[in-house]
Every structure is written in structure tokens, then in C-alpha cells.
Amino acid sequence: MTAQTVRPLVTTRPTPTGDPVLRVRDLAVGLDEPDAREPIVAGVSFEVRAGRSVGLVGESGSGKTLTALAVAGLLPSAVRVDGGRVEVAGRDLTGLDPRAARAHLSATVGVVFQNPTASLNPRMRIAAQLREALPAGTSRREARARVAELVRAVGIPDVHKTLGAFPHELSGGLNQRVVIAMALAREPAVLIADEPTTALDVSVQAQVLDLVDELRERLHLGVLLVSHDIGVIADRTDDVHVMSAGRIVESGPTGEVLRDPAHEYTRTLLAATPSRLEPVRVAPREDPTPVPQLRVEGLRRAFTVRGGTGRARHVALDGVDLTVARGQAIGLVGESGSGKTTLARIVVGLERPDSGVVSYQGTPLTGHDRAQRRRWRQEVQYIFQDPYSSLDPRLTVAQTLREPLEIARRDLSRRAVAARVDSLLDEVELPRSFRDRHPAELSGGQRQRVGIARALATEPSLIIADEPVSALDLSVQARILQLLGRLRRERNLTYLFISHDLAVVRYLCEDLVVLRGGQIVEQGRTAEVLARPTSPYTRALVEAIPGRSHHTDRDAP
Amino acid sequence: GGGETPQVGDVLRLGLSRQITGVNPHKGGSPDSSGSIVGSIYESLTQIGPDLTVQPSLATAWTSTDPLHWRFTIRTDSTFSDGSPLTADDVVWNFQQLLDPDYKGTAGAPLRRYLTSVTKVDDSTLSFTLSQPALDLPGRLWSIYIAQPAFAQSHNLDNEALGSGPYKLDTLDQENGATLSLNPHYAGPKPQFAQVRYTVLASEAQRVAALRAGEQDLILNLDPLDLAQFRDSDTYDTVLGVGNQPLTLAINERRTGTPLADPRVRQALNYATDKDTIIKSLLQGAVTPLPGQVIYDPFQQPDPAVSAYPYDPEKAKQLLAEAGHADGLTLTVLLSSGTYVSQDAATQAIAAQWAKVGVTLKIEQQPFPAWLQSQYGPDDQAADFYYIMWGGAFRGDVTGNFGPFRSDHIQSHLDAPEFDALTTRAQNATTEAEKTDLVNQAVQNAHDEAHAIFLYPSPFTGVVSKGLQWTPKPNRYLYAQGVGRVQP
Amino acid sequence: MSASELTQERAGPPPRRPHVPRPPVSLRYVGGRLLTGLIAVWGAVTLVFFALYATGNPAILLVPPDAPPDEIARLTRLMGFDRPLPEQYGTFLHSVLTGSFPDSIRYGEDPLPIALEKIPASLALGVSGLVIGTLLGGVVGYVSATSRSTFLSRVPLGVAVGLESIPTFFVGIVLVIVFAVQLGWFPVTSTGDAASLVLPAFTLAFAFVPTVARVFRTALLDVLQAEHLRTARAKGLPRHTLVWRHVVANSLGTTLNVVGIQAGVLLGGAVVTESVFGWPGLGQLSINAVQNRDYPLVIVCVLVIAVGFVLINLVVDVLAAIVEPRLRS
Amino acid sequence: MTLLQTDDADAVRAAEPDRPARPRRTIGIGGWVGAALLAVVVLTALAGPLTSGDPLAQDFEAILRPPSAAHLFGTDELGRDVLVRVVFGGRTALAITLVSAVVASALGLSLALLGALYGGWVDALAGRLADVQLAVPSIVLAIVVLSFVGNSFVPIVAVLVLGSWVLTFRVIRGHARAVVRAQYVEAARVAGAGRFGVARRHLVPSVLPLLAVAFTINASSALLLESSLGYLGLGVQPPQPDWGQMVASGQAQIFTAPWIALFPGLAVVVTAVGLQLLGDGLAERFVGGPAVKRGLAQ
Ligand SMILES: Nc1ncnc2c1ncn2[C@@H]1O[C@H](COP(=O)(O)OP(=O)(O)OP(=O)(O)O)[C@@H](O)[C@H]1O
Ligand SMILES: Nc1ncnc2c1ncn2[C@@H]1O[C@H](COP(=O)(O)OP(=O)(O)OP(=O)(O)O)[C@@H](O)[C@H]1O
Ligand SMILES: [Mg+2]
Ligand SMILES: [Mg+2]
Ligand code: NI
């Protein structure tokens, strides 16, 4: 957290630390259907004490959100509580009529969700939304003072401007602070935060989590923190409950559970954390040609952005020089908006620079003749971040994989193309039977494999990957990273690998380039840069890696 | 719903069947709209009676001193609705305007053909000088309405009115109707209704619905078939009679290579048309077929020597064969959408009848303006036939009766030199006897040459509230002053 | 601000009013839209101009049947239709710029005031149709989106969608037969007063109902699933606040937008409605002008309608921006 | 307008990675009912002439007869069989509707695709054209044009096309713009695909379902507009039977012989309902439910 002073809230209810403020026993949640099959969540029990933080971790779809929603009484209409009891701030909700339960819950439980901007009413100003959240009967004058106070309490710098704004006019981080302020408005005893930072930039993530920690301590809140990110759990919670397939499979103090996971599932989960993977290292082969494979000089690109104040030029890349040698793997990191994607898109020709030169194997792209251009098109391929939108939903896997072959390899017979498709599927470890599936029938990880296979189709030598794993579940992410590592070893590929996660980069790349505000602020061997970041920005990035405390715990016993 | 007893309120409610095209007294107007209103607000020198005879109005008497000179005696008591007197000078001024070739009022166009000047002799006498004889001059003047000069020069006569007629114009909405109230200075007999509202009901369906809802007191121009539903009504009487103008198929004889240039073909088609069936079924037997000429009893004096072409398909076939069309013909007729009662049904019936003698009649329909444009257009682009109603406005109206069937009429595509010569001479005749003789010759010629497909007189229809006293005027002008209450 | 508020303001800590009033839509945006609209109006009017002037001579309609043949030429000259088309177009553009049009043929005077005079009647019909349609459509949409009963959630919407398939004139005919002729509640012939407004207004409204119901329903369903609604529920707000402030209000923007796009289609229905009922508005005036070949009046009607359209679209856009802050940037 | 765009992400989001693939959507009962209604109308119009009589055949012996076994829909003022005329009127109405919907869809589609692929002034020009079109209600343009240019088949179709191409254009353009910017298109470009390849492989196939929906909406609005024109006397001219015009001519007898106007009116309604239901069904099946249909609704 930065140096912002957080003023204490005027009225804080002193709940003695240690008293349980939330008790859940044998909670079961199921579909609200007459012939509902198995419950989605069953037998979930845990306890949150005032001033303590409890983590709920597990894979996507394991029932974390439903559990949180059930506790907060906010289940969607299709789902209902099937059994168990929930006790909040000393009051048992079982058997209470829905109205009374709602009233009690809204007075004692604050909730924060994953997507801050969507959590706010788009057509109400922040002030109005905050005022609404205050306990009924607050006078206008009191309300105005309280609202300002709340906003300051969550560390929003420009109170006046923020209160007059609509959610879409604020950044995600600010919006999440507003949501937290709103959750605190009725002075709850419990704060339920469901992946409160997943949608935010890494550096912002840390600030928001710091804020939650601080408020917990100061207000003696009991916090239930839901996350699939082991790092976050490790850093921020006292106790943890691991969920799998709707059940809690392991519980205990966070440190203990992570150090010594008892349950098989917890172990898999931990193993998938990128910082735990053994880095891929490839002995650099001697490049016969001294010409670098890719060279970028003085790249500049600005965008015209239309905002409330009219048009403005936003400089995305500001004089970037970069050389990529054959067989090298360079990690490109930087905060959101630093220009990583823009750089990558320029290199593959999806975007034109305003000035500067991109040379492929010594020749500037603009000077390429037909054959060179063809070669460049075949040898440089791109892997997109979003496995959902980078596949045409109408095409089958085989059709998608055939497309680059049909364009680049007109010489191939139909049969040869089919064989290529099969071998590509083998290569990315997908069953051949997936040929005729549509993207809708694939999981995210499977789709990303198809995306990788498509990039491999033309036998490229340089792969540019723009956050290829950040949209994926942790365990899936690990498998895809391993696949990329293996491909690199086997095919001697050159990588330009973009990520905002230093742990991922450390796993895959020996070299690191740090971009900020469109300029390269640091570059060098990954290990060195991480160990001794020279620029303050890189240092901040390194510190923002979640789970560092847990690593230090572990790494220096 | 049907009301129980005949009810007519204080306001007389008259339905018009076309939009009003302004109330300019110098522009003429359709009887179904502007003409009826103008005739209630303005006066002219003469007027037309229900039997189409010419009657005095502003003029009380007239004499012809020689074929080219006339004297009209006018009333001196007539007063405009603002109280100013209508003088001989005012009448002269109106005629001078109309004779001016740059004047916008279109009613002057026919005048300029034969009228040289109008001058004032004294306060009650006007002198007319003609360029060619016109025995029927008094009749021709019925539609020349007299506006007040000062008002006419300072106001837009299309939209505002100041006349000497029985009513004055209160409000005018050209799209929807007009309201009239009594002219307090009117010199003639006071009409029975102090207030009159004319409502435009442009579609047949609107007229029927308005009558059924009891919203109108008098509506003309319904399809004869639609009258039946009011025949047994408690509130309404129906009128089904003979109108003053004939319906014919006007022929294009001048299209290059047209078979219709051959009189035998034209005759054949007259024989092939079964007028009686159409009249019986579509026109509810209201009329009898035209007597082989475009003038008929009781409004005009038909030539007794000429009678209708009988329905004789065999004869028709024979004539067609003689003309070299034994294996059939294809011709087109152009209708104007929604203009004439029963026209669609009638032309389809004719087409069906002609089909029996091997003639295919293709029916095309166009909105009125396009239809008119086609008639004004070149011969080769005009249709073979136009279903049309036109004719004279008063008894003995040579120009009106026969003008449209002359070759030199602006809408005509005929080639009838003999007919032209005969009617010209009839127009210029200086005695009634000479005129009658020439008219009969012309009628005979048009019949023999079959310069038209003679159909039947237009039916005259109306639905009248039982509470009203009204003498039907077959020329369809619906003047407010002509309507009174039934005296209990 | 009341007096007590002012004193409080002075007494208490001064948290300034958080609301920064900003214009919901920038002038620049409005200007841009107007410019586009002007181009559109120019295009439409030009199209109509050539459709008219290239296809005929209105003088023939004025010629009495017994006139001599040269009468057409005389009138054509008098009305200026004998001049070459480009020249007439130039004159026409000039008249648009100066606002003084050639006289209407039927009215014998400047057609612009004639057309403008009809606007209140058209507006009365349009607005009442819109209001009735929006209310009915809103209720149908709301019921079908929120009702738990299968009947209520399907049948009204189904009926509304059925209405969409009935041509305006047919609706008009049925309403006239039932309510004017058989029941006699309303007049058959429009006099321009309130009683004769009812049937045309409902006829027009029926064209709006399905669209509004449909759009509003989907917008509601979207909002009902929105995450911010969960936040609002967590606040423990009373039901009516939840419904109006968070659900309905958030559905208005979308609804308004679609209705705005459709304004053209819907108000086109007004032309037919006016002509079926003889309602004395701009639509009826234009149809009659067309039928009478009153060229100057036709063009002015098209011009007025087109300008009206541009303005309506603009108003809808501005309204949408007001209820939907996200559209503002 | 954002509403008119469908983002593929929407469709994709429906299928979360670990959840089962979305159930195959169908056009639903409504869609099938619509299709069935249309099939009946179209088949009658096609086959009617083979089995029934002459729509112009008059029978003065049987004028204004109410519906009976001999004349299922009764007879009109010329003794013509109303059923036969409704069947033949359907030929006119459907022919005009279909041709204009096809032309409008083709026009809207090609302008939208050109705009999306080439961007720049092509797109801007097409957008302006659409704006011009939207500035005047199509019925007003139709009335002006038809009453001056004349009302035969070609002008009527032209006017209907003028009134409805914008819908297709806007819908397709919104979608096509999204697709052109979609990552899978970028992926194709990285793989070396040119404009034509992108259009053939990604754009056109993705636009087809939307086109089908837009087509049914165009057709139903064209049908309604065509019948309105017929009713105003600006459509197909008698004696050629046409639904709108039959309603207009039968309206005067509606109190005494309601069948003359009623049956052609119902024919319009049934056909339009069929098109609407089918359109809804198609939208549900291909485009992601009413959320998109609302943007398309005409
Ligand atoms: N509204 C709903 N209707 C039906 N099923 C639901 C609903 N919401 C969630 N589910 C199902 O319940 C299961 C648990 O979902 P939940 O959202 O709690 O998972 P999660 O652990 O929060 O996952 P993630 O990490 O992806 O957020 C999933 O299989 C999901 O498909
Ligand atoms: N097409 C565009 N139009 C306008 N601005 C753009 C465009 N593409 C990128 N930008 C702006 O350029 C800047 C750099 O964007 P870029 O996507 O390269 O960042 P990034 O480092 O990839 O961020 P992230 O980690 O969020 O993906 C950002 O401020 C972004 O808003
Ligand atoms: Mg979740
Ligand atoms: Mg990026
Ligand atoms: Ni870790």
C-alpha cells in the first residue's frame, strides 16, 4: 500500500477479536428444480472469527462462489440452499423468514465481487450508490458526511471527483475500492470477498488486498476471502479451506496446509503454481548466421483516444529497440497499458508503427519481397491471450488448423493436410478425435492448445505469445506452460513471451524485458533482474508477485 | 347504429367525396368538393336548375342583339357578405381578370376562345362582345362566379372567400372540410340552415362508416351497390337516379397502326358490349344504356333517329373478321384509381364480354394525375381506351357535350374530321333550328363512325337523412342552400 | 436548496456536493448529429424533387377540360415548369435556403406555413400514440419478464407480437367498426378534437406495443441477471427501490435506443393512420398533396417530415444519453 | 449502434470451459409454427392456380354471396370467388415481398461487407446512405415515388427495397465489424489470409444466420408495407388481385359483406405472423435469443 493515510471510520463497533462472527455448518446448495440431482455444494462447514481472515480456495467450478453467495443470502434464483445452518454475528439464520434474514444479513455482511465495474449500477453516480448502502434512516446530512468518510477510508485520492463520477468513468481499482466502501457502509461484522482482485492489474491487486487486510485489522472484520490463487491465499489468510467438487477437502491454518498438504487435490493445486515449476532452460545453440532473427528499432506508436475532454494522442510505444536472437526466449513484462500487446501486434504485422523499423532476419518488413514476405508470414506466428475469442466458433478444430496450411502450403494434398492436422493435435496433446469438435465443445485449456497448434501449423521459428495462459485456470495454466516449454526444447523455437506475471516468465524465459509507458526500462537475464531489479518500477513488479511471503517462508526455512 | 327517428341537428352536415382544391371562384372546381362550396358562397350571372335548364341568378334577363353581341340585365340589390354592394363594375372587373392571359384563374381559358370583352352599359346592364357566335352563352356563364374586386386583390382567393351567395365561409381546411354560416346580407330567400359543415370523406369506406355512425346528413356518390344497406334504414332515404354526364370508353384512334382507326373495329366493340347486364348487376338498374350517342333524356335532346348499339356478339365477330381481326386483338384500357363509380367492376365486365368476341382487354389503372397525364401525352404513348365520364353542364351545351369527342380536344386521341366540322358549325349556329340540325348530324356521324364505346349515363346516387328536404341535382353539385328541413 | 440546508452547510464540516453537473451530451456531438441530419434531409428532398419534377407537369391538373390546347403551355409557363430541370433545382435550393417556397398549387400560398400548421395535430397523434404504446408495451414487457406464472409471462407478449403482424390499416378498420360505428363511442370522422384522437392514437400505439414490450422485456432480463443487482440486493434495499431504481431505470436506455431507431418505422405508421382516419395531420396533408400533384407542397411536406425525423432521432439520442450514462463518452 | 452488434464472445461465453457444451438450440415451437404457416401460404399461392379458378371470372348471378360450400370465402360485388382471389393475391404479395426482401438483403449485405472489409470512405459512404434513408419514413418515400413514377412491379419493389435494406445493412455491418476485429480473424491474417480469404472463411459464414433473421424481418415489413401501399391504392393495380387492395375495395361493404375485406386482411396477418414467428425462431436458434432480435426488430 502506498503512503495514503487511512482515516479511521468514526464509528467502529468493537467486536472482540477471536469471537466467531460467521459459522457455517453442513451447508448444502442445489439447483432449484423439482427433481434436482446431486447438490452442487454439500457438507461445507467453516468458521470466521472477528479480525481474522479465512481463505476458500479451489478450482474453477468447485463451488466457492456459490458457498459465498449462500452465506450472504444472494443466491441466484436458479439455485437454493438445501440444508445446513448459517450463523452470522451470533444469530442463526435457519428458519428465519426471508425478509428478516435479508435485513440481518444486509446489516452484518458486506460483500465484494470479482468484477468491480459490473458490480456497480452503471447509471447511478458513485455518491448515490454509496448513500443507498447506508443504513435506512440515515439523515441527508449524516449521509453526506458518511459517504465522504467511507470514500476516504478506502483510500480514494480524489474524493470529490470520484463521488460525482459514474462507474464507467473510473478505473477497475477505484471501482473495487468503491465496492469495498459500500460493503463497509453498514458497518458489517463479516466481509465476504469473492476473487476481489482477479479482474485487476497485479500492482492494483496488491493495493486492494492491502486495503482489505488493513480494514480487517482496524475494524475487527471477519473476512472470507475466496480465490483460486494460492499466492493470494498464502499471503492474506490465516486459515484456509480447500474446495473440490462442491466439498471442503482440507482445512487448517494456511501456513500448515500449504507447507504440508494432506489431500491429494491440494497437492495438485500447489504443484500447478508457476513459481513452483522448474524453469525451462535451453542451452543456446550456435546460430550459424549472426543476423538476429528479429530486430526492432525506434518503434513508436500513438493512438487517438476520444474521451470526455475530446481527442487526445496516447503514446503506447515510445522508441522501443529490441533484438531477438534465434533460439532465444525473451519475456516481455509490464503493467497493464504499458504497450506489450501493441509491440507484439506490430511485430506480427497486425498493427503499423508510426515510425521505427521492424526487421526480420536482417531485412525491414517494408522492404520484403514476395518470397521474404511469405517466409516471414510462415515463420512468425502468434498465440492470443483469449482462447475464447481467438477461435472461430463456426469452424471445427480441423478446419481451424487447416486454414494456415491451405494458405501457406498450397502444395499439400488433402490427405497430407489431414495428416498434418493429426500430427499437430498429437503435438499439443489433444486426442485426434477432437478434429470435428467446435470450440464450444472444448474447455479453455483445450482451446488454447488448438490456438497453439494453429500457430505451429506453418512450422514457425518465432512464436509471439501474448499472455497465452492468463485467462486459464491454474492447473490448466501449468499444463500449457509445460507444453510451451517442451515445444521450445524440441523445436528450438524462439519466443517473445508476454506476461504480467513474473513467475510465469521466470519459468519460461532466460531473458527479460520490462516495459513501462511504452519504453523499455530494464532488460537482462531473468534471474538477475528478479534478484536485483534496478528500476523502481521493476522492483514494484517483483514485490507485487502474490505469494512472495509464502515463498520466503518456504525457501528459507 | 341506426337512430330511431330522423334527426337533423342545427348544423347541416354534408359529405364531400374529394379533397377541396381551394375555393377560388375563378378556378372552377369539382362538384364533389370545391364546386359545391364555391356555389354556396358566390353567385354567377346564371345558374343551372335540377333539370339542367339555365336559370337567372345575378342576371335577370338577357338578349342577343346579333350573333356576336349580347346584353345582360343584372340585379342591383345583390350584396357581398361584408355588406358592400355587388355592382356592374364588379362584374366587369371579374371578366376582365379572366380574359387577361396572364391571370392565374383558369376559368378564363374557355372564355378567351369566344369572348372579346364585357363592358358596363349602365348600373344594371352589361354588354358582351363575342368573337364567334354562341347561342348558349347564358349557360356558359353559369360557372363564372363574381368575387369582390377589392377583396380579391388583397386576399388569397384559394383560401379565403367573400361572395354574394347565400352563405359565407367561416373556416376552411382543404384536407378535411369547411364550415359555412348564413350571409346576413344575402338578397335572395334565406336558406333554412344557419350553419353548414362540409366534411371531406374521400373514400367510399369512410362515407359508408360515417353514414352508419349517423355522422352525416347527406352524402352523394356512393357505389350503387353500397346503397342497398341504407335502403331499409329508419334514418336515411336513398337516391338512385341518372346523372347528367355519360360514361364512355374514349378511344385512341391515332396510335400508329392501331386497329381502332378502322370504324368497323369500333363498331364491333360497341356491339360486343352488353350494357344492360352491367347496368342491371352493378348499377342496380339505375340507368338505361346511352342511346348510341352521348346526349340523352331527360337532360339533353338526343337525336331520336339514333339508338343504342344492341348487344350482338355475332355481328361484332363478323365486323372484326371483315376488318381482318378474326383471330383476335389485344387492347388496353386505362382507369383512374377510384375516380368513377363502379369503374373497376364495369371494365372487368366489359373485358369479359369482349373476350367472347376474341378481344383481350388489358386493364391498367393509375392514380388520377398519371392517368390524366397519359391522356395529355402523345398519341403513341396513350392507352387504347380511357374509361371516362364527361359531358355538358346544361341543356344544349354543345361545347360541353361534344367537345371531348372532337379531334382537337386536349385530351382526345380521335381522328374525326367530319364530326369536328359539324360540331364547330353547331357551336357557331345562329339559330336554334340550325343548331339542332347540325347537332343531330354530328350525333349521327359519331354513332356511325363509333367514335366512342357508348356505355351508359353515370348513375346518380345519394343517401339523405329523412329529416331533410332536398331536390336531387343530377350534376352532383351539393349546394347548402338547396337543402331544407322536412316540415312536420 | 432550503434555508435549513444552507445553515447546516455552514455549521457542519463542509463536504461539498459531490455532484458535478456536466452536460449529458456535448454540443459537439449534437452539432455533428445535426450536420449528418442536414445531409440526410438534403438527400431525401433532392430524391423527391427529382422524382417529382422529372416525371410530370402538374399544370395539366389545373387545365379545365374545355380549355384550348395552349392553356397547358400557358400554365406551365406561369408556374415555371417550362424551365430546364437544373435551373428549377437551383431555384428550389435557393427557396429552401431563403425559406420562401413557390406557392402551393391548391392553396395558392407559401406551403411552409401550411405544413407547419399541421404539426400540432401530428404531434398530438404521435405523442399520444407513443405514450399509450410505451405504457402498454412497458406493462406487457415488465409482466412477461418478471411474472412467475407461465400464462402471464407468455400470453400478453404473444398477443403483442401478434399485433405486430397486423397492418396498421387493418387495425384501424377494426377499431372504427367496433368503437365508432357499432358502439358509437368515438366519431368516425376526425374533427381534430380529443374524442376523435382516441382511435387513431390507439391504432398507432398498437404499432409500438410489440417493439416496446419486446425490447423492454429483454432489457429487463439482462438487468435482472446483472451483477450490480446482486450488489443492490446486498444493501437490503426495499423492493420498490430495487425495482425502479436498479431494474427499470437500467432498462430504459436500451429500450429508448431501440424505440429511437424505430421511430421512423413507427411514425411512418402515422401516415397510414392519419389517412385511414382522416386525422388532419402532416401525413394526411402529404398524401393529399401527392394525390393532387401539388409539387411545392409535397416537397415542403417531405422537408418538414425529414427535419422532424432528424430532430426526433436527436432527442431520442439525447434522452438515451441522459438515462444511460455509459453512452455519453 | 451497439445494440445491433453481436459479439461472438457472447455466444462463446455461454459455454464455459468446464461446463457441458450448450444444448443445441432449435428454432422452437414458435419457429416451426411460423414455418408451417408460411409453407401453407406459399404452397397455396404456388399450387392454387392449378386447382382453383380464375380470379377475374365474374358471375353476376352470384354477387355478394356469403361464405358457403360453393364459395368458401364468399363472393364479391362482381361475383368473383374471394378464396380464389385471396390465393392469387397471395402470389402478387409474396412475389413482391420475396423479391424485395431478397434484393434488400443482398444490397444491405454487400454494402455492409464492403464497408467492414475496406473501412474508410466505403464504410462512411454506406453509413451516410443509411442515415439518409432513415431520415424519411419509407412509407412517405413510397407514396411520393409510386404516385409519380407509377406503380408497376419494379417501382414497388424498388420502394420496398429502399425502405428495408438499411435494416440488413445495419445488422450485418455491426456484426461484420465485430468479426473483422475478432481475434480469430487476426489469427487468420497472421496465417497469411487476405481480405478475400477472411471474407470467405470467416465473415460470410458468420453473417449468414443473421442474414436469415434479417431476411424474415425484412420480408414481414415488406409484406406489411406492400399491403399498406395496396390499401392506399398505390400498390399493384386492379384487376390484378392483391391483399391490401382487396381490403380497401371491400371495406365499403364491410358491414354487409365483411368477408370481402376480412379474408384478404387475415391472409396478410397469417403470413406476417408466420414470418414473425420464423424470424423469432431463427433469432433464437442462431443469434442468441431475443437480445439480438430486439435490435433487429422492425
Ligand atoms: N445460477 C446457476 N445455475 C445453475 N448452476 C450454477 C449456477 N451458478 C453456478 N452453478 C454451478 O455450480 C457450480 C459451482 O459454481 P461456482 O460459481 O460456485 O464455482 P466457483 O468455484 O466460484 O468457480 P470459479 O473459480 O470459476 O468462479 C458450477 O458447476 C456451476 O456450473
Ligand atoms: N486500438 C487502440 N486504440 C486506442 N488505444 C489503444 C489501442 N490499442 C492500445 N491502445 C492503448 O495503448 C496503450 C498500450 O496498450 P497495450 O494493449 O499495448 O498494453 P498492454 O501492455 O498489452 O496492456 P495489458 O496488460 O492490459 O494487455 C494502452 O493505454 C491502450 O489503451
Ligand atoms: Mg467464482
Ligand atoms: Mg495486452
Ligand atoms: Ni506460490
Side-chain angles (χ1 to χ4, degrees), chain A residues 64-65 114 194-195:
Chain A
K64 305 182 295 290
T65 297
Q114 171 170 0
D194 185 2
E195 318 237 11

Side-chain angles (χ1 to χ4, degrees), chain A residues 303-305 314 316 334-343 385 467:
Chain A
F303 292 102
T304 308
V305 280
H314 176 90
E335 66 182 346
S336 185
S338 55
K340 307 183 292 290
T341 300
T342 308
L343 177 59
Q385 167 172 10
E467 316 218 22

Side-chain angles (χ1 to χ4, degrees), chain A residues 338-508:
Chain A
S338 55
K340 307 183 292 290
T341 300
T342 308
L343 177 59
R345 288 171 60 83
I346 289 175
V347 168
V348 292
L350 286 172
E351 194 96 58
R352 273 176 214 285
D354 296 335
S355 65
V357 182
V358 178
S359 318
Y360 184 68
Q361 295 190 328
T363 326
L365 288 187
T366 44
H368 274 185
D369 62 25
R370 245 207 150 107
Q372 278 174 314
R373 212 182 151 72
R374 246 185 99 119
R375 247 180 58 157
W376 167 69
R377 266 278 165 255
Q378 284 180 28
E379 293 185 356
V380 182
Q381 285 298 318
Y382 197 72
I383 300 173
F384 290 87
Q385 167 172 10
D386 187 355
Y388 298 98
S389 52
S390 56
L391 297 182
D392 189 332
R394 271 159 294 271
L395 301 187
T396 61
V397 169
Q399 284 171 326
T400 297
L401 296 182
R402 269 207 302 267
E403 180 171 18
L405 291 173
E406 282 166 1
I407 294 166
R409 303 286 308 273
R410 301 222 179 102
D411 54 315
L412 287 182
S413 70
R414 264 200 166 167
R415 178 170 296 177
V417 169
R420 273 294 285 149
V421 167
D422 282 346
S423 72
L424 282 169
L425 287 174
D426 295 347
E427 192 136 29
V428 296
E429 295 158 23
L430 284 176
R432 291 185 175 188
S433 61
F434 273 33
R435 266 182 306 233
D436 299 323
R437 289 210 183 180
H438 285 268
E441 296 160 314
L442 303 178
S443 76
Q446 290 165 343
R447 288 182 209 196
Q448 197 59 296
R449 285 170 199 266
V450 175
I452 294 170
R454 173 177 57 193
L456 294 177
T458 52
E459 316 232 2
S461 55
L462 170 60
I463 290 216
I464 293 154
D466 188 359
E467 316 218 22
V469 293
S470 57
L472 300 175
D473 213 348
L474 210 58
S475 46
V476 183
Q477 181 175 337
R479 290 200 289 275
I480 296 284
L481 284 176
Q482 283 162 343
L483 169 65
L484 288 172
R486 197 198 78 214
L487 288 172
R488 192 180 156 219
R489 273 193 304 271
E490 288 175 7
R491 297 187 159 214
N492 191 27
L493 292 173
T494 314
Y495 277 168
L496 182 59
F497 190 93
I498 297 176
S499 179
H500 61 257
D501 188 343
L502 284 183
V504 168
V505 171
R506 183 174 58 186
Y507 167 70
L508 211 56

Side-chain angles (χ1 to χ4, degrees), chain A residues 219-252:
Chain A
L219 306 176
H220 304 286
L221 287 170
V223 171
L224 177 65
L225 184 63
V226 177
S227 180
H228 66 256
D229 188 334
I230 297 279
V232 170
I233 296 289
D235 289 351
R236 309 287 176 171
T237 60
D238 303 306
D239 298 311
V240 69
H241 302 270
V242 183
M243 279 189 84
S244 173
R247 290 173 193 273
I248 290 185
V249 293
E250 182 162 8
S251 307

Side-chain angles (χ1 to χ4, degrees), chain A residues 230-231 234 270 273-276 546-548 550-551:
Chain A
I230 297 279
L270 281 173
T273 320
S275 44
R276 298 210 167 191
R548 276 183 77 249
H550 140 72
H551 295 301

Side-chain angles (χ1 to χ4, degrees), chain D residues 137-207:
Chain D
S138 43
I139 184 107
V140 172
L141 271 192
I143 289 167
V144 172
V145 172
L146 290 187
S147 52
F148 289 91
V149 180
N151 29 20
S152 48
F153 189 82
V154 173
I156 294 177
V157 166
V159 154
L160 295 182
V161 166
L162 213 59
S164 53
W165 72 274
V166 178
L167 174 96
T168 317
F169 171 74
R170 293 179 74 142
V171 170
I172 303 283
R173 179 164 80 148
H175 181 81
R177 278 178 158 183
V179 171
V180 161
R181 272 187 263 114
Q183 282 190 2
Y184 58 80
V185 168
E186 297 199 323
R189 283 170 56 199
V190 171
R195 274 200 189 105
F196 180 73
V198 166
R200 186 171 62 87
R201 260 184 263 262
H202 301 283
L203 206 47
V204 173
S206 87
V207 138

